Amino acid sequence: MRHLFVSVLGMAIAGAVIAPHAAAADVVRYAALVDGGKNAGHQIVTTAADGSTTVEFVFKDNGRGPELTEHFSLAADGTFQRYSAKGTSTFGAPVDETFSRTGNAVQWRTTSDHGQQDIDGAGLYTPLGGSPEAMSVAIAALSKRADGKLPLIPSGTLTMRKVSEAQVVGNGRDTRKVQLLALTGIGFTPTFVWATEDATPRLFAFIAPGFLQLIQDGWEANGNALEAMQKSAEGKALVDLQEKLLHRLPGTTLVRNVRVFDSEHATLGAPSDLLLRGGRIAAIAPAGTVRDKADQTIDGAGRVLLPGLFDMHAHFSAWDGGLHMAAGVTTIRDMGNDNATLQQLIADGKAGRLLAPHIVPAGFIEGESPMSARNGFVIKDLAGAKAAIDWYH
């Protein structure tokens, strides 16, 4: 789970599971849908009578994706007592991961790292390359925590908050209520997960808008409605974040005592003052020499002032904007995306509804094949290619 919330989009779902005591086993199946409903795999979670769980997860999109088999058992607090995962990663690298806890002693080993710690109290191991079922374990364990915080192994703290709920219909006429949770503590951005509202909640659906809908079998027809609700909830969260972090600078701004980096000549200048007017540089002069009155003054304290950076290969999503800006990236070239989603993100950025760099969409065109990513236009002939180029233009 260390990288689950980032890499799950390149992960997978598949296979059938036969539990040792099939009659007593609890089986939950999920379907992975891409491209507006195309089946790209599935996840099958089988919990045996003794509480041990087996997960087989395979997800294949544009000819690649992981294949994993997990086995785990849980402690009384809902965290992993033992965990193992074997299989292959998105690009075919071997996955071989184990974790165990005996008393307060924990140890783990993967193909990338290994370690051991002494843990006093609860602690949830975060698999390096696990399946989405790790989110079920995290949600259930968090629901037992009175303080709403769950320590993570090797490090960190996981929290969650409910941001929305929905009534869904499936399996004929069955209805149930599900909740949208925002998990924070792994990675730079929250992870949104649809969960059941049972006493011990579990994963109902994981949706990456514009790309993937992983949803419990029999309830797939709710995917588009849940995706729309999730996008709305994420949009509100982003607006709230922007209002908290964004500080507009109307009029003129004087930045004193900075060393300007000249990227064209790769030189660092002497301490200078820089005057901004209407969002553009009006003057650069030796430090202390600019006498113009400014609406805002910023003391650069001798730091380096860089031109905005340009990321030449990006696949932009709504949560990326703040991270780009914080890193000094003010322009990106998007090399491939869901066209409708990207157009909306560009419009939201221009309208000031979304914190975002300037986006230059390169446009994605590919031929029909088993490897097609299907994030832009898939063409079969020259006429289709010309039509795609005209649309991008």
Side-chain angles (χ1 to χ4, degrees):
M1 200 166 65
R2 263 175 282 174
H3 295 299
L4 166 65
F5 302 141
V6 175
S7 66
V8 71
L9 302 187
M11 285 192 167
I13 323 182
V17 174
I18 301 177
H21 307 288
D26 177 65
V27 181
V28 182
R29 301 170 183 267
Y30 300 84
L33 307 176
V34 298
D35 304 327
K38 172 189 170 186
N39 191 288
H42 59 269
Q43 173 172 282
I44 302 176
V45 182
T46 302
T47 304
D50 63 359
S52 61
T53 299
T54 299
V55 182
E56 291 199 17
F57 175 66
V58 176
F59 174 72
K60 295 297 182 184
D61 184 50
N62 68 331
R64 59 193 182 193
E67 300 185 22
L68 298 173
T69 299
E70 294 175 308
H71 300 281
F72 62 81
S73 57
L74 303 177
D77 62 5
T79 61
F80 290 117
Q81 186 80 39
R82 295 187 177 279
Y83 173 89
S84 69
K86 284 184 177 292
T88 54
S89 69
T90 298
F91 295 101
V95 173
D96 188 358
E97 181 169 4
T98 60
F99 166 83
S100 64
R101 177 170 183 168
T102 304
N104 289 344
V106 304
Q107 57 183 352
W108 67 90
R109 179 174 294 275
T110 76
T111 56
S112 301
D113 71 339
H114 62 87
Q116 56 187 30
Q117 293 179 359
D118 286 329
I119 302 295
D120 184 15
L124 178 67
Y125 176 67
T126 54
L128 187 62
S131 76
E133 183 59 18
M135 288 186 275
S136 271
V137 175
I139 292 165
L142 263 170
S143 70
K144 301 176 184 293
R145 302 283 296 176
D147 61 358
K149 299 178 180 180
L150 181 60
L152 296 174
I153 301 170
S155 63
T157 302
L158 189 68
T159 63
M160 71 180 180
R161 61 186 177 88
K162 181 177 178 179
V163 296
S164 187
E165 62 181 28
Q167 190 84 11
V168 292
V169 179
N171 293 317
R173 286 179 245 177
D174 292 346
T175 62
R176 70 163 35 150
K177 186 179 288 186
V178 294
Q179 56 184 329
L180 180 62
L181 304 174
L183 302 177
T184 58
I186 298 176
F188 291 114
T189 62
T191 299
F192 289 83
V193 180
W194 289 95
T196 65
E197 291 201 334
D198 306 324
T200 301
R202 60 170 174 75
L203 176 68
F204 177 76
F206 174 78
I207 296 175
F211 174 54
L212 168 68
Q213 295 175 357
L214 175 69
I215 189 166
Q216 188 175 338
D217 273 10
W219 304 82
E220 296 95 324
N222 299 278
N224 290 340
L226 293 179
E227 179 169 333
M229 292 182 65
Q230 180 175 322
K231 289 175 68 173
S232 177
E234 290 193 40
K236 183 180 183 306
L238 284 163
V239 169
D240 293 343
L241 185 65
Q242 175 162 311
E243 290 179 353
K244 178 181 178 182
L245 297 178
L246 188 63
H247 302 280
R248 301 189 183 278
L249 300 175
T252 56
T253 301
L254 180 62
V255 184
R256 293 194 178 278
N257 190 24
V258 290
R259 302 187 68 190
V260 178
F261 177 70
D262 182 341
S263 58
E264 184 177 358
H265 301 96
T267 58
L268 188 62
S272 303
D273 292 344
L274 181 143
L275 184 67
L276 297 169
R277 182 178 293 119
R280 295 185 176 275
I281 298 174
I284 300 177
T289 63
V290 175
R291 304 302 179 190
D292 300 52
K293 288 187 176 181
D295 298 297
Q296 296 88 209
T297 300
I298 298 172
D299 183 4
R303 296 182 180 91
V304 174
L305 187 68
L306 288 171
L309 302 177
F310 198 130
D311 186 341
M312 297 293 288
H313 189 135
H315 300 278
F316 190 71
S317 68
W319 288 94
D320 294 343
L323 298 176
H324 281 297
M325 302 297 280
V329 177
T330 57
T331 304
I332 65 168
R333 180 172 64 173
D334 188 285
M335 298 300 291
N337 218 314
D338 175 71
N339 283 329
T341 299
L342 184 62
Q343 289 297 310
Q344 184 62 55
L345 293 174
I346 292 173
D348 288 345
K350 288 181 178 179
R353 294 185 296 267
L354 178 68
L355 188 62
H358 176 62
I359 301 171
V360 179
F364 196 42
I365 304 174
E366 57 184 337
E368 180 67 65
S369 83
M371 305 301 177
S372 298
R374 304 183 184 280
N375 283 333
F377 286 96
V378 180
I379 56 95
K380 298 180 180 179
D381 50 30
L382 180 60
K386 289 182 175 180
I389 291 171
D390 287 344
W391 189 92
Y392 282 126
H393 177 71

